[in-house]
Amino acid sequence: MATTTSFNDEVHASHNGNRVHPTNMTMPSNNQATNIAMNDELDKPNESGFDLCGWIIIIFSYILIVLTFPITLFFCINVVQEYQRAVIFRLGRILQGGAKGPGLFFILPCVDTMVKVDLRTTTFNVPPQEVLTRDSVTVSVDAVVYSRIVDPVTSVTKVNNVYSATQLLAQTTLRNMLGTKTLQDILSDREAIANLMEAQLDEGSSPWGIKVERVEITDVRLPQSMQRSMAAEAEASREARAKVIAAEGEQKASRQLKEAADVIGTSPIALQLRYLQTLTQISAEKNSTIVFPIPVELLTLVRQGR
């Protein structure tokens, strides 16, 4: 039966003096000690090796290699490129040392299984996702994800198809993230959304041995009705600004005309000179019609004579 022994309020003398301190010491029970020992065994790598049947199969493989030499060399020697790593399973167990490579490796026929993992950066397109934004607008968004494998052993043993899993995770992450944004945020803050999506993807795929390097939002497509509405709104806004600019121009022109009229009003002869200048401009265009303006003062004298 498991027991727990406690020493409460035990006193002990200090080496530097006669002062004593109360302490509370608890000894672990047998069940707790057993659990700790089991956890330590789980944390340690499996170094027990193979059983008797496994060693017999391995020895038989070596004998087969010797008997069929040099034909077996074509099946036992494998080359791993600089950008690759090899995960070798012997009777279903990963060999000590983890991933191998690059270089030349010798494997046992019928016993060893080698899986080559590419460490180069791979890209894939996230299919267009129909997303309903926070302001109830349906948009279609495309994205590109750049990723690479940083832990070959984990990518082989933890997930069946690491590239397919990363692609599906990218689709769900893109949907969940854009659903919390408005249309204005999606159109104006693409870079911030891409950085946030990269962080979430990297956090979700790191247990699979994947490192997400970059995420880019390539295209945001709106419905045709929304495009027409936005185009009409933009056109109306441009027309309003054009009318305001034209009104401001007319206001400035009227002020200039008023100042010119005040200057001409101070000297009556200046008006006659302006008449002659206008005739000169008309005659320069080779026009057969001549318009001769009648002075306003002449009309005034005629009315006074009547």
Side-chain angles (χ1 to χ4, degrees):
M1 183 176 180
T3 58
T4 302
T5 306
S6 300
F7 301 92
N8 297 323
D9 298 335
E10 181 180 355
V11 296
H12 62 278
S14 174
H15 293 286
N16 297 329
N18 297 325
R19 191 174 181 180
V20 294
H21 305 274
T23 59
N24 186 0
M25 301 176 61
T26 303
M27 298 297 292
S29 63
N30 294 334
N31 292 335
Q32 293 176 351
T34 304
N35 293 332
I36 294 173
M38 292 178 64
N39 293 332
D40 292 340
E41 291 178 359
L42 292 175
D43 294 337
K44 291 181 180 179
N46 188 3
E47 298 178 355
S48 60
F50 304 100
D51 54 6
L52 180 60
C53 182
W55 282 112
I56 292 175
I57 296 175
I58 293 174
I59 294 172
F60 179 76
S61 299
Y62 279 110
I63 295 174
L64 181 62
I65 292 173
V66 173
L67 293 178
T68 57
F69 184 83
I71 299 176
T72 52
L73 292 178
F74 296 98
F75 302 95
C76 297
I77 296 178
N78 284 271
V79 178
V80 178
Q81 303 295 335
E82 181 69 28
Y83 55 84
Q84 293 178 333
R85 294 296 181 270
V87 181
I88 302 176
F89 295 88
R90 177 163 295 175
L91 295 178
R93 298 181 179 179
I94 299 178
L95 294 182
Q96 294 183 359
K100 313 291 183 181
L104 191 67
F105 295 95
F106 182 84
I107 63 174
L108 298 177
C110 305
V111 174
D112 292 347
T113 303
M114 185 173 67
V115 179
K116 293 183 179 180
V117 180
D118 197 336
L119 301 182
R120 293 176 293 183
T121 300
T122 59
T123 62
F124 61 87
N125 294 322
V126 179
Q129 302 295 310
E130 295 287 340
V131 182
L132 183 65
T133 61
R134 192 174 64 182
D135 50 355
S136 300
V137 178
T138 303
V139 295
S140 179
V141 183
D142 300 343
V144 179
V145 178
Y146 300 82
S147 62
R148 62 185 177 91
I149 296 177
V150 294
D151 191 348
V153 177
T154 303
S155 65
V156 173
T157 58
K158 297 291 184 177
V159 64
N160 183 17
N161 190 339
V162 66
Y163 297 107
S164 177
T166 306
Q167 185 173 3
L168 294 176
L169 179 62
Q171 294 180 18
T172 56
T173 303
L174 182 62
R175 279 177 172 272
N176 296 335
M177 184 178 301
L178 296 182
T180 61
K181 304 292 183 180
T182 61
L183 179 60
Q184 183 65 28
D185 295 337
I186 296 175
L187 296 177
S188 59
D189 297 336
R190 287 191 182 184
E191 186 176 357
I193 295 175
N195 293 334
L196 183 59
M197 182 178 175
E198 177 185 347
Q200 293 187 3
L201 274 178
D202 192 24
E203 181 180 359
S205 61
S206 57
W208 303 335
I210 294 291
K211 170 65 178 177
V212 177
E213 295 181 340
R214 190 178 182 87
V215 176
E216 291 290 343
I217 296 177
T218 56
D219 190 16
V220 178
R221 290 189 292 272
L222 300 176
Q224 294 294 331
S225 59
M226 179 61 66
Q227 293 180 11
R228 289 192 294 268
S229 299
M230 295 179 67
E233 181 182 0
E235 184 178 0
S237 177
R238 288 193 297 268
E239 290 179 357
R241 288 197 298 268
K243 290 180 179 179
V244 171
I245 294 173
E248 291 178 354
E250 291 179 358
Q251 183 180 7
K252 293 181 180 179
S254 62
R255 290 177 181 176
Q256 296 294 331
L257 290 175
K258 180 179 180 301
E259 294 178 359
D262 293 339
V263 173
I264 293 175
T266 57
S267 178
I269 196 61
L271 183 60
Q272 300 296 331
L273 295 176
R274 181 58 180 167
Y275 290 161
L276 296 176
Q277 185 179 4
T278 303
L279 290 176
T280 303
Q281 293 177 355
I282 294 174
S283 61
E285 297 178 358
K286 297 180 181 181
N287 197 346
S288 59
T289 303
I290 298 176
V291 179
F292 186 78
I294 299 176
V296 180
E297 291 81 359
L298 181 61
L299 296 176
T300 303
L301 293 176
V302 172
R303 289 178 181 177
Q304 290 178 356
R306 290 181 181 179

